[in-house]
Amino acid sequence: MHKVIYDTDPGVDDAMALLFLHRHPEIDLIGVTTIFGNASVDTTTRNALFLKREWGFDCPVARGADVTFDPSRPEHGWPTHVHGINGLGDIDVPETIDLPADPRPAYQFIIDTVRANPGEVRLVAVGRMTNLALALKHDPEIATLVKDVVIMGGAFYVPGNVSPVAEANIYGDPEAADAVMTAAWKVVLIGLDVTAITTMSRSYLADMAKAGGKDVQLLADLSQSYIDFYKHAVEDGMMVHDSCASAYIVAPELFTTITGAVRVVCGGIADGQTIVKPDGRHFPPGQWDGLPSQTVCVGIESERVVDLIRDTIVGI
């Protein structure tokens, strides 16, 4: 069993990935931590508790950071045109959910859970990296105790989605992302190089809902405006960014990877750009030297990943 803490900002594609993690028989979802990004942290925490109530997962939900790792960095505003005003495609979600959040801040929940399960916890982070960076800041030793960190974020050999070079999760807190990439733990980056070519059509999702009952129908309902948003890039469908990171946990063989030190640009016109120095390539001394080699996904078997998502969520 893969013990997973899911760090998330629900978020439409976050919700699909959450249902995948909850339902896969080889995954033990031991915690959900929330972060601001697709909406405020109050909203993303409410959304996580709402999905916990509706889908019946029983792990704790811990509220995360509401400002960037460098608190002086200005906020860009919520992407309401992508995920809706309420973060879940503007379906009907109660203002409050009658479920308690864990009393600890997300970074402390991560620290405590990792220390209670040394060498076993896999962090799946699909929003800004702020909670992870704070956990490292408060307890640097956890980098030696985490099994790995699987991130949906970055754009290496393709354009970004919020600037010509930057992907949204990294752009939202570049300083946090750089701290995470350069720490002494194993990081796997599932970025736009693979997620932007992994799509699910509206009809495919509708067929899933018919086969999966009310839980999958809820997923389909909250995804409709997200599909509408993607009409500029996908023919009546959506990119399943965060579910790709969840799928990697159980099926890494469906991904092609390279390794190398990774840095994040902090400031300037390339703010949030992710840059890998591939292992085996030689350059003059620079800012990538002496850093851990991380794993960057550059290829994916998209159809097999989408089918894995479907089979897991529907229970085939």
Side-chain angles (χ1 to χ4, degrees), residues 18-303:
L18 175 57
L19 190 55
F20 178 95
L21 292 169
H22 169 49
R23 290 197 163 180
H24 197 283
E26 297 174 13
I27 292 174
D28 180 11
L29 183 62
I30 59 175
V32 173
T33 52
T34 63
I35 187 66
F36 72 116
N38 289 329
S40 71
V41 75
D42 288 337
T43 298
T44 61
T45 304
R46 185 276 313 269
N47 290 350
L49 291 170
F50 169 72
L51 295 172
K52 175 177 179 175
R53 188 190 75 180
E54 296 301 302
W55 289 339
F57 60 89
D58 58 5
C59 69
V61 172
R63 183 183 186 274
D66 59 0
V67 295
T68 50
F69 193 50
D70 174 359
S72 67
R73 175 175 279 273
E75 178 52 60
H76 302 294
W78 316 129
T80 55
H81 61 295
V82 182
H83 295 272
I85 294 172
N86 73 357
L88 290 179
D90 289 333
I91 64 165
D92 186 18
V93 180
E95 285 296 318
T96 58
I97 305 298
D98 189 23
L99 287 176
D102 191 275
R104 293 164 288 183
Y107 76 84
Q108 191 63 53
F109 177 86
I110 291 170
I111 291 169
D112 293 346
T113 307
V114 167
R115 286 199 165 275
N117 302 273
E120 297 184 49
V121 175
R122 309 187 72 176
L123 302 177
V124 177
V126 299
R128 304 178 188 199
M129 304 292 110
T130 320
N131 290 333
L132 276 62
L134 288 170
L136 286 168
K137 178 181 178 180
H138 285 86
D139 188 353
E141 190 180 0
I142 67 164
T144 66
L145 302 175
V146 168
K147 184 171 184 179
D148 64 0
V149 182
V150 180
I151 289 170
M152 190 279 120
F156 292 89
Y157 300 111
V158 298
N161 59 2
V162 290
S163 86
V165 297
E167 180 275 329
N169 289 337
I170 307 300
Y171 183 74
D173 196 342
E175 288 80 10
D178 192 58
V180 169
M181 306 306 171
T182 57
W185 52 16
K186 178 183 176 182
V187 176
V188 180
L189 286 132
I190 317 281
L192 297 180
D193 302 71
V194 297
T195 68
I197 57 173
T198 307
T199 63
M200 181 179 290
S201 71
R202 196 188 304 265
S203 61
Y204 191 100
L205 182 58
D207 289 342
M208 285 173 56
K210 290 177 184 177
K214 66 179 183 63
D215 288 351
V216 190
Q217 185 61 58
L218 173 62
L219 178 63
D221 291 344
L222 64 86
S223 299
Q224 294 307 306
S225 64
Y226 189 66
I227 293 173
D228 292 340
F229 163 76
Y230 270 115
K231 63 185 178 183
H232 67 283
V234 181
E235 185 176 351
D236 204 29
M238 59 182 174
M239 300 176 190
V240 289
H241 300 289
D242 295 346
S243 291
C244 291
S246 296
Y248 181 89
I249 293 293
V250 294
E253 70 277 4
L254 300 182
F255 297 79
T256 303
T257 62
I258 63 172
T259 59
V262 175
R263 296 302 306 267
V264 179
V265 178
C266 298
I269 63 171
D271 198 27
Q273 182 178 13
T274 46
I275 305 172
V276 59
K277 176 188 176 185
D279 289 338
R281 292 290 303 273
H282 299 287
F283 300 92
Q287 298 300 311
W288 286 261
D289 297 346
L291 296 176
S293 179
Q294 310 295 14
T295 299
V296 174
C297 292
V298 294
I300 188 171
E301 296 187 42
S302 296
E303 289 187 9

Side-chain angles (χ1 to χ4, degrees), residues 297-313:
C297 292
V298 294
I300 188 171
E301 296 187 42
S302 296
E303 289 187 9
R304 291 182 65 188
V305 168
V306 170
D307 288 346
L308 171 63
I309 295 166
R310 175 200 61 199
D311 293 352
T312 300
I313 287 176

